[in-house]
Amino acid sequence: MLEIVSQNFSDLKAPNVEIKQFPDGDSYVWIQDAKKAEGKDVRIFHRLYPDQNSRIFELVLIANILKEHGVKSMELVAPYLPYARQDKIWKDGETKSAEVLCGFLHELGIKKLITVDCHFIKKEGPYKCRGLEIMNHSMSRALVEHAKSKFGGEEFEVISPDRGASYLVEEFGGDSMKKTRGDYQKSGDEAYRTIEKVEYKKNLSGKNILIMDDMISTGGTMIRAVENVKKNGAKKVACCAAHGFFLKESLFKLRTGSDGVFVSDTIPSPVSEVKFMDEVKL
Ligand code: R5P
């Protein structure tokens, strides 16, 4: 299998695609060894975050270059799938962007997507969406293993901050907190539903707690979850996720508010302490 590696994968593999920007912001892609793709099965390693819209268009160019050189088939390793959060239509006039992107990748000629803790799938294993074959891997076991160092060898319980992430913690006998969201903010350009509450009713006196989610984006969910678990008497609270965006100073807030925060390197960050490639069997 021929590997085509984007520069945004250079922390894990030697890149062989040149991606630049024209002065006006258009993307430029050059694959020096494109001829080698003729008649071959190709695996593309290309992160689709941060700056997802540009990353997706770069992929369009990569796939087209490979097709123009007679590639036989294409797989994509993209550890975080953007647009995966809108998998429902809340009000008429919206669309399921998760399905739109999967359909688009399929039409682009991507036979299979290899990804990690894809938000709308909520389980490990093979899945199909709008013609696209997906292999969804989970970081949950590796995150729990890594958490042992955060609690100095002491026992800990694993919980998720909402029911959507319960699939991550069930294997460890973990429970889920209850998250209440507000409505979309009325003003400004940001499409964001505020987090009103993240609650756990049980007494956690003296217990060590690991809170695990699929992603930490603005941190609104995790910050409230940590506060609530502490309020319920927990001894030590660490938090983790497969994907860490850490927007809006949330990394600073979680570092100061908890006994440890860490994520995997699906999106590189200062606390990407767990390697996703160790969990992805290719
Ligand atoms: C939501 O259902 C997800 O699983 C995460 O809980 C959420 O997207 C995290 O976003 P934020 O960090 O902005 O609260």
Side-chain angles (χ1 to χ4, degrees), residues 97-141:
S97 54
E99 290 185 16
V100 172
L101 181 57
C102 289
F104 178 73
L105 294 179
H106 175 63
E107 282 165 30
L108 187 60
I110 304 296
K111 189 164 171 272
K112 184 175 172 188
L113 167 70
I114 294 150
T115 194
V116 173
D117 288 310
C118 180
H119 182 77
F120 72 90
I121 299 179
K122 300 195 191 320
K123 63 174 182 180
E124 246 183 318
Y127 192 84
K128 203 160 187 178
C129 179
R130 293 217 185 163
L132 181 72
E133 282 175 41
I134 304 174
M135 179 51 78
N136 189 37
H137 295 269
S138 182
M139 292 307 301
S140 60
R141 285 178 293 278

Side-chain angles (χ1 to χ4, degrees), residues 151 209-211 226 229-230 234-239 258-260:
F151 295 110
I209 300 293
L210 174 68
I211 311 174
V226 169
V229 165
K230 280 187 157 181
K235 185 175 157 197
K236 271 188 175 181
V237 185
C239 57
S258 75
D259 297 290

Side-chain angles (χ1 to χ4, degrees), residues 23-236:
D24 62 358
D26 286 357
S27 299
Y28 167 83
V29 173
W30 180 51
I31 305 175
Q32 188 175 10
D33 290 335
K35 281 195 180 74
K36 290 186 183 164
E38 189 174 352
K40 297 253 178 59
D41 296 314
V42 170
R43 187 172 286 143
I44 303 165
F45 294 83
H46 180 66
R47 283 189 171 96
L48 295 177
Y49 188 91
D51 200 0
Q52 54 272 51
N53 295 343
S54 296
R55 297 296 87 78
I56 290 167
F57 197 71
E58 287 160 7
L59 176 66
V60 171
L61 299 181
I62 292 170
N64 273 274
I65 293 167
L66 295 172
K67 285 192 276 188
E68 285 157 13
H69 287 80
V71 70
K72 186 174 161 211
S73 75
M74 294 183 286
E75 278 185 10
L76 170 67
V77 180
Y80 169 70
L81 187 72
Y83 291 100
R85 273 187 282 182
Q86 179 139 26
D87 57 350
K88 291 187 188 71
I89 291 178
W90 297 100
K91 56 185 177 195
D92 184 49
E94 297 178 349
T95 190
K96 296 180 190 174
S97 54
E99 290 185 16
V100 172
L101 181 57
C102 289
F104 178 73
L105 294 179
H106 175 63
E107 282 165 30
L108 187 60
I110 304 296
K111 189 164 171 272
K112 184 175 172 188
L113 167 70
I114 294 150
T115 194
V116 173
D117 288 310
C118 180
H119 182 77
F120 72 90
I121 299 179
K122 300 195 191 320
K123 63 174 182 180
E124 246 183 318
Y127 192 84
K128 203 160 187 178
C129 179
R130 293 217 185 163
L132 181 72
E133 282 175 41
I134 304 174
M135 179 51 78
N136 189 37
H137 295 269
S138 182
M139 292 307 301
S140 60
R141 285 178 293 278
L143 291 168
V144 167
E145 191 57 34
H146 188 74
K148 290 179 181 169
S149 62
K150 306 288 172 189
F151 295 110
E154 287 182 24
E155 288 199 352
F156 59 93
E157 288 183 16
V158 191
I159 62 175
S160 69
D162 58 32
R163 305 227 192 287
S166 60
Y167 82 97
L168 291 166
V169 302
E170 275 161 3
E171 184 179 339
F172 315 100
D175 208 350
S176 298
M177 302 176 83
K178 187 170 184 291
K179 175 158 88 179
T180 314
R181 277 194 185 268
D183 210 346
Y184 279 110
Q185 293 180 158
K186 298 262 182 301
S187 58
D189 292 338
E190 215 172 57
Y192 181 67
R193 289 176 68 204
T194 49
I195 312 291
E196 288 181 345
K197 280 185 273 186
V198 182
E199 287 181 307
Y200 196 59
K201 299 279 188 217
K202 295 180 192 162
N203 187 312
L204 296 171
S205 281
K207 289 186 175 169
N208 293 320
I209 300 293
L210 174 68
I211 311 174
M212 179 156 49
D213 204 351
D214 60 341
M215 64 182 87
I216 299 172
S217 175
T218 65
T221 302
M222 199 55 97
I223 291 165
R224 278 170 188 74
V226 169
E227 286 168 356
N228 188 269
V229 165
K230 280 187 157 181
K231 204 175 92 187
N232 288 359
K235 185 175 157 197
K236 271 188 175 181

